[in-house]
């Protein structure tokens, strides 16, 4: 995930950033370079040159519609997908700053809900609750709420799930460049654990597990954080 705090680092120029933000916010195939220039208050020639570069880079598609050339972001391009994610996160942060409502779960709440589901034998739901909660770390960090979010939790009632929560928090904190709280430092589990199961994907999980979890003897494909 790209840090929403530094989206300008993604872009070649300010014009590129402004053009892409307008395109991400617009319906596909509804804007021309001239439309963008008017919306941005930029010279049409400057915007047209930037659009041509973006098209050459495979980030923007152009389609002739009469005498107009309509533009659409090309989300098959991985950089364009990253740009869309960065802008969506920025919009979310801007909206949440004004709400004054805590929409995220703190670590003690994540642990309590996870533990209740584990005790009920609902491990799949427990895993989703844990990942959904931890996945909010980047946005909460951008809103300066991470200290409150990562208060020390009680036990889930199962040392494996306690370790998974701790390792997942450390992993997410590393990705946003923040120090993980002290309670996340734990000894490895006495036996290895595959939260996603021991089927055909177990070998891939070993290869793709973040180091924060591998150190604990937990083998869990990092891609699972993106599909929670």
């Amino acid at each position: 995930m790209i840090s929403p705090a530094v989206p300008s680092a993604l872009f070649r120029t300010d014009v590129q950033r402004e053009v892409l933000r307008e395109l991400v916010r617009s319906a596909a195939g509804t804007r021309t370079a001239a439309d963008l220039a008017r919306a941005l208050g930029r010279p049409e020639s400057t915007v047209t040159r930037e659009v041509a570069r973006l098209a050459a880079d495979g980030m923007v598609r152009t389609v002739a519609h009469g005498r107009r050339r309509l533009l659409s972001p090309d989300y098959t391009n991985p950089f364009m997908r990253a740009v869309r994610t960065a802008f969506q996160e920025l919009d979310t942060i801007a909206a949440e700053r004004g709400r004054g409502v805590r929409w995220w779960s703190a670590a003690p709440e994540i642990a309590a809900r996870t533990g209740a589901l584990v005790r009920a034998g609902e491990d799949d739901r427990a895993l989703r609750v844990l990942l959904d909660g931890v996945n909010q770390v980047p946005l909460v960090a951008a809103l300066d709420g991470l200290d409150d979010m990562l208060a020390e939790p009680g036990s889930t009632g199962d040392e494996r799930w306690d370790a998974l929560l701790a390792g997942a928090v450390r992993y997410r904190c590393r990705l946003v460049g923040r120090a993980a709280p002290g309670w996340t430092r734990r000894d490895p589990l006495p036996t290895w654990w595959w939260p996603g199961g021991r089927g055909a994907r177990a070998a891939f999980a070993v290869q793709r597990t973040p180091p924060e979890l591998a150190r604990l003897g937990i083998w869990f494909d990092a891609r699972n954080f993106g599909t929670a």
Side-chain angles (χ1 to χ4, degrees), residues 167-200:
V169 166
R170 292 186 71 83
Y171 167 58
R172 278 305 198 187
C173 285
R174 172 171 63 84
L175 293 185
V176 297
R178 298 289 293 270
W183 63 264
T184 62
R185 291 193 291 269
R186 297 181 59 90
D187 292 330
L189 294 174
T191 57
W192 286 357
W193 181 39
W194 280 261
R198 291 291 303 272

Side-chain angles (χ1 to χ4, degrees), residues 91-114:
D91 290 342
T92 299
I93 290 166
E96 294 299 335
R97 282 196 190 280
R99 285 181 60 192
V101 176
R102 181 164 75 81
W103 46 268
W104 40 267
S105 296
E109 296 163 336
I110 297 170
R113 292 169 188 161
T114 299

Side-chain angles (χ1 to χ4, degrees), residues 12-95:
R12 180 170 49 220
T13 64
D14 287 343
V15 175
Q16 185 190 67
R17 173 174 51 80
E18 292 170 10
V19 165
L20 289 177
R21 185 152 195 171
E22 283 293 314
L23 287 175
V24 166
R25 288 175 163 179
S26 304
T30 61
R31 310 292 290 277
T32 66
D35 295 332
L36 295 176
R38 285 191 294 271
L40 299 172
R42 295 278 190 176
E44 185 175 337
S45 59
T46 301
V47 173
T48 298
R49 281 195 300 271
E50 191 56 60
V51 167
R53 291 182 188 133
L54 291 167
D57 291 342
M59 295 175 62
V60 171
R61 289 181 282 110
T62 64
V63 176
H65 186 75
R67 302 176 71 177
R68 308 174 75 210
R69 297 200 66 82
L70 300 177
L71 309 174
S72 298
D74 188 348
Y75 293 123
T76 64
N77 182 300
F79 183 78
M80 193 64 236
R81 292 198 299 271
V83 166
R84 175 178 58 182
T85 297
F87 284 140
Q88 288 172 339
E89 290 176 346
L90 279 174
D91 290 342
T92 299
I93 290 166

Side-chain angles (χ1 to χ4, degrees), residues 117 121-130 161 195-196:
L117 290 167
E122 299 187 52
D123 285 10
D124 287 345
R125 287 186 60 198
L127 187 58
R128 181 169 294 278
V129 164
L130 188 151
W161 289 89

